[in-house]
Amino acid sequence: MYRPTLLAGAAFLAAGAAHAAAGIEVNQLGFLPAAQKLAVVPAGANDRFKVVDAASGKAVFEGTLGPAATWDASGEAVRIADFSGLRTAGAYRVAVSGQPDSPVFTIGADAYRALDVGAIRAYTLQRASIALDARIAGPYARPLGHPDDKVLVHESAASGTRPAGTVIKSPKGWYDAGDYNKYIVNSGISTYTLLAAYEHFPAWFDKLALNVPETGNGVPDILNEVLWNLDWMATMQDPEDGGVYHKLTNKSFDGMVMPDRATAPRYVVQKTTAAALDFAAVMATASRVLAPFDTKAPGRSQRYLAASERAWRWAVNNPAALYRQPADIRTGTYGDEKVDDEFSWAASELYIATGKDEYRTRALAAAPGVQTEPGWADVRPLGWISLAQQRARLKKPDDADEARRQILAAADKLLARWQASPARLSLAKSDFVWGSNAVVLNQAMMLVQAYRLTHKADYLNAAQSALDYTLGRNPLGMSYVTGFGAHPAMHPHHRPSEADGIAAPVPGWLVGGPNPGQQDAKDCRVAYASKLPALSYLDIACSYASNEVAINWNAPLVYVAAALQSLER
Ligand code: G3I
Ligand code: 9MR
């Protein structure tokens, strides 16, 4: 049914090399029937647009384009086509006379089901310490890599009972990103976001069949997937003092090889305050979300909570153990110089779990300014999300009021930007950092919280726009999710995708996205076509600063797809 337009095809082929105009930009997966449906149209001579049936070419909707305005992040003059009134299931294109049609998209009740399945299964395919056979992984089947059963304690992490060189076991977990290392800080927000997705939308996930190795064991598949990483995280706590290693890593990044070919020695490196607090927050959250499934693993949630409190105690006693990359280690740092937000987040989850005053005080401590969205180094909003959600379980339920105020302040700021933006996006020009596609989806996650608290439609509409952007409503006309949409990213910085001999990348991954920082320029022989924030992207595997994948970036994709499927009625 899909009829590729010449211009869109050319833009796709040229992606990475040069920027060709995207033409009419639209979410290439499509929409749920009741959703707000917007396309972004290059400003031209015509004021009218049509939506046409993809098969017959017959117009099913007509409208007038909004006023032209230039988006500062792309330098392009655009107009909005609003066809929210079209609610009939089908396959369509947006058409404006004098311009090539948009890619085909659908309207349907299951618009994001396959996307959500794919985005979670990306984690399954990203598991360390497991062989993936064809029944689980299809063409992406691969032998076991990184057993992590003989991991060395690095000198930076040495303790009395575990001197440097001690061999420990720390298997399982997900590889962080395009690289094969495992980092607690980034696991923190990633694991929490997936747990929150289940906690907020259990009906959706209870029915979502993911075909993971544990499928059928009585635990929802998304939680089975999360447990693979929780099992690893639990091994990262030093049993002697409750401190948590910052990362488990090679000394240097591996080459672009499959996991089983990457056999360099692995180390646990330095215990840090951020790692202890992110661990404490996730374990306390897991103890809450997984408690109903304790029958499958007696005592598990209690163990999580005990581990969480020990890590908290370590952090209180070591409040300024910031990560300092040792001279012989060259992999990712996830260095965070400010840990107040980690203290608040961990305290929030522990207050919910225990009702203790010590945690309550830290959980509610004054927040400087409005934090619009979470990120790996900015986790305070995660605590607000939990406190608002768990009002009924709080020792003092009114404590949720402050969380609600914080969430609405953040969402209102995002909403104002969305309303004023020529491209109808909550992203500010300055939000185009390394991983900008996750910034916009984390903003959507905050907007979804505001919608859950108020049921005000515009919060959900702004979240919809964020997902639309990542799935094709952007000035490059690309879907930034591998394997989904008419023009998806094809060459992510992702070792298995590069090394597996399969032309298509591993599906279901959100790539980092446009990043004018271009920190990879020295390692890429192809030059970026533009420095403009929304255009500064290369669909080439060398581009780790714009085209890597990462577990923390996929997590809000999982969350937002589930939210729209669950709330868009
Ligand atoms: O927040 C500042 C912003 O205030 C400033 O205006 C802007 C200007 O450059 O920079 C912003 O910070 C950037 C930060 O990401 C945003 O989160 C830094 O420049 C940028 O260097 C930093 O990049 C991080 C990158 O590692 C390099 O350290 C990414 O967040 C982080 O996601 C990425 O993580 C890597 C791991 O280290 C290794 N594994 C792969 C993973 C994904 O690429
Ligand atoms: O593959 C690495 C990626 O996961 C990181 O995000 C990135 C930045 O730390 O670094 C990548 O590794 C590159 C290294 O930094 C420089 N030489 C080329 C490596 C990629 O092949």
Side-chain angles (χ1 to χ4, degrees):
M1 263 196 300
Y2 167 55
R3 189 170 67 82
T5 61
L6 278 177
L7 191 69
F12 168 52
L13 290 177
H19 168 59
I24 299 175
E25 309 157 15
V26 68
N27 180 331
Q28 294 166 16
L29 285 194
F31 307 90
L32 284 118
Q36 183 176 66
K37 305 174 193 78
L38 306 180
V40 173
V41 177
N46 272 294
D47 288 331
R48 300 283 294 169
F49 74 94
K50 291 178 187 171
V51 180
V52 301
D53 181 85
S56 68
K58 208 175 129 258
V60 294
F61 187 94
E62 293 189 35
T64 301
L65 296 167
T70 299
W71 188 28
D72 57 357
S74 69
E76 290 169 351
V78 293
R79 305 176 71 168
I80 298 291
D82 184 340
F83 50 101
S84 307
L86 178 61
R87 290 171 169 234
T88 313
Y92 306 99
R93 284 180 274 116
V94 178
V96 174
S97 157
Q99 299 198 30
D101 291 354
S102 78
V104 174
F105 62 90
T106 61
I107 295 177
D110 267 342
Y112 309 130
R113 176 182 294 272
L115 173 71
D116 219 22
V117 169
I120 302 168
R121 278 181 47 79
Y123 291 86
T124 314
L125 302 178
Q126 188 78 349
R127 289 184 182 191
S129 321
I130 193 172
L132 294 169
D133 65 29
R135 278 170 312 169
I136 300 296
Y140 302 99
R142 57 167 172 81
L144 182 149
H146 303 89
D148 286 339
D149 55 352
K150 294 187 193 69
V151 174
L152 298 160
V153 175
H154 187 263
E155 61 186 10
S156 60
S159 60
T161 49
R162 288 185 168 183
T166 304
V167 177
I168 65 166
K169 290 192 195 342
S170 191
K172 300 195 179 179
W174 303 305
Y175 301 125
D176 182 57
D179 62 325
Y180 290 136
N181 305 298
K182 306 190 286 195
Y183 308 80
I184 285 290
V185 164
N186 204 42
S187 261
I189 183 169
S190 310
T191 308
Y192 171 84
T193 301
L194 297 182
L195 285 166
Y198 180 78
E199 185 167 55
H200 300 178
F201 310 111
W204 168 252
F205 289 109
D206 282 343
K207 287 186 306 227
L208 204 64
L210 299 177
N211 187 31
V212 299
E214 302 79 15
T215 291
N217 66 354
V219 175
D221 279 349
I222 187 174
L223 295 182
N224 278 321
E225 195 49 58
V226 165
L227 279 162
W228 190 262
N229 204 53
L230 287 168
D231 283 353
W232 166 65
M233 289 182 78
T235 68
M236 290 290 280
Q237 186 168 41
D238 184 345
E240 181 178 314
D241 59 7
V244 178
Y245 305 116
H246 195 72
K247 60 177 176 176
L248 188 162
T249 182
N250 299 351
K251 286 198 165 178
S252 303
F253 288 114
D254 292 298
M256 297 307 260
V257 299
M258 290 301 282
D260 60 308
R261 306 296 293 276
T263 55
R266 308 265 275 179
Y267 297 84
V268 288
V269 179
Q270 197 191 335
K271 287 179 280 195
T272 63
T273 313
L277 292 169
D278 287 343
F279 174 101
V282 167
M283 288 296 164
T285 306
S287 77
R288 175 175 88 232
V289 178
L290 283 154
F293 305 98
D294 269 359
T295 44
K296 309 282 169 197
R300 181 171 57 202
S301 39
Q302 269 185 322
R303 284 196 299 279
Y304 284 163
L305 187 54
S308 170
E309 291 206 81
R310 287 197 78 205
W312 168 269
R313 184 74 26 234
W314 187 92
V316 167
N317 293 331
N318 299 271
L322 303 179
Y323 184 66
R324 295 289 172 255
Q325 181 99 303
D328 60 339
I329 303 282
R330 280 170 293 274
T331 53
T333 50
Y334 288 114
D336 187 356
E337 300 295 304
K338 262 191 81 264
V339 293
D340 306 9
D341 53 317
E342 282 77 10
F343 268 109
S344 326
W345 177 32
S348 302
E349 306 299 349
L350 279 163
Y351 169 49
I352 295 165
T354 67
K356 289 181 191 168
D357 281 344
E358 176 191 1
Y359 301 133
R360 177 172 183 267
T361 311
R362 296 295 288 255
L364 299 174
V370 174
Q371 202 178 302
T372 46
E373 73 280 332
W376 61 261
D378 297 298
V379 292
R380 179 144 195 160
L382 305 180
W384 297 133
I385 291 173
S386 288
L387 289 168
Q389 160 81 15
Q390 296 299 319
R391 168 180 286 273
R393 293 169 81 140
L394 298 181
K395 189 161 167 214
K396 298 201 168 90
D398 287 355
D399 289 340
D401 292 348
E402 177 59 14
R404 179 191 166 97
R405 261 195 300 279
Q406 294 282 345
I407 288 168
L408 295 185
D412 286 341
K413 207 165 162 182
L414 294 169
L415 201 59
R417 263 197 232 146
W418 171 77
Q419 269 151 350
S421 158
R424 284 293 187 90
L425 276 178
S426 54
L427 269 181
K429 195 175 173 191
S430 58
D431 288 336
F432 284 90
V433 293
W434 192 314
S436 60
N437 282 337
V439 174
V440 74
L441 290 179
N442 277 315
Q443 292 177 346
M445 184 160 117
M446 292 304 279
L447 289 158
V448 166
Q449 304 319 307
Y451 178 78
R452 294 174 70 237
L453 292 168
T454 63
H455 295 284
K456 195 169 129 191
D458 267 353
Y459 291 130
L460 204 57
N461 294 339
Q464 175 74 50
S465 276
L467 186 69
D468 292 349
Y469 169 83
T470 63
L471 292 172
R473 207 187 89 193
N474 58 65
L476 297 174
M478 324 215 358
S479 162
Y480 288 121
V481 181
T482 58
F484 289 86
H487 307 299
M490 287 298 285
H491 307 287
H493 182 87
H494 181 231
R495 283 165 174 73
S497 292
E498 272 293 282
D500 62 9
I502 302 171
V506 176
W509 280 111
L510 178 79
V511 298
N515 169 18
Q518 304 185 354
Q519 293 92 333
D520 49 17
K522 60 184 184 311
D523 290 319
C524 259
R525 261 172 299 172
V526 179
Y528 282 82
S530 176
K531 258 257 176 198
L532 280 162
L535 306 181
S536 183
Y537 168 79
L538 284 172
D539 187 12
I540 299 183
C542 58
S543 184
Y544 49 81
S546 81
N547 211 30
E548 191 162 355
V549 305
I551 56 173
N552 62 316
W553 301 338
N554 251 50
L557 174 63
V558 169
Y559 186 99
V560 172
L564 293 176
Q565 279 285 162
S566 304
L567 301 172
E568 200 75 83
R569 311 246 156 263

